[in-house]
Amino acid sequence: QVQLVESGGGLVQPGESLRLSCAASKRTGGGSTIGWFRQAPGKEREFVAAISWYGSDTAYADSMKGRVTISRDGAGNMVYLQMNSLKPEDTAVYYCAASWSRPMTPTTISNDYDSWGQGTQVTVSS
């Protein structure tokens, strides 16, 4: 069974940091771009960051650029999203997803992604 499992979410204060993890089963992680998306209550899902299969290319949402870094381990099955200087507007459920159709391109388009995790809640509040 193809699986993506997110972890690392939680409640933090404005200005603090969090590192989210996405664990991909070998079948999922192999040959895929991994992306992070988020969805806040009452809002549409939006792109956050993505990294290509070999980790050589990354893409970031303008709203997050400079505050987030996406990376993946050598085997390609763990992807991390380091988020710094968090703001209340960053509160959302964060999802990781895998795209086999775009393994070399860190696509920002959600429809390019074939498999999704269940999400992890990030809440930024004082």
Side-chain angles (χ1 to χ4, degrees):
Q1 186 72 22
V2 169
Q3 274 193 321
L4 291 165
V5 180
E6 304 93 338
S7 61
L11 172 64
V12 297
Q13 294 188 349
E16 293 186 337
S17 300
L18 271 179
R19 189 177 82 153
L20 305 183
S21 299
C22 175
S25 63
K26 190 174 183 179
R27 180 180 172 188
T28 305
S32 64
T33 279
I34 299 291
W36 284 96
F37 291 77
R38 67 184 183 182
Q39 187 165 21
K43 295 188 177 181
E44 293 188 354
R45 184 169 56 195
E46 64 175 350
F47 170 77
V48 176
I51 188 166
S52 62
W53 167 228
Y54 290 120
S56 56
D57 294 293
T58 57
Y60 295 97
D62 287 342
S63 62
M64 302 293 287
K65 204 170 288 185
R67 297 193 296 123
V68 298
T69 303
I70 189 170
S71 60
R72 68 194 302 168
D73 67 356
N77 295 322
M78 287 296 298
V79 174
Y80 306 98
L81 185 71
Q82 177 67 43
M83 302 189 294
N84 301 321
S85 302
L86 285 163
K87 306 174 182 179
E89 51 263 42
D90 294 320
T91 295
V93 177
Y94 285 70
Y95 300 91
C96 68
S99 171
W100 291 282
S101 60
R102 301 281 190 269
M104 301 310 221
T105 304
T107 177
T108 65
I109 302 171
S110 60
N111 285 344
D112 286 342
Y113 290 84
D114 311 289
S115 183
W116 293 79
Q118 295 299 306
T120 184
Q121 176 71 46
V122 172
T123 302
V124 185
S125 175
S126 55

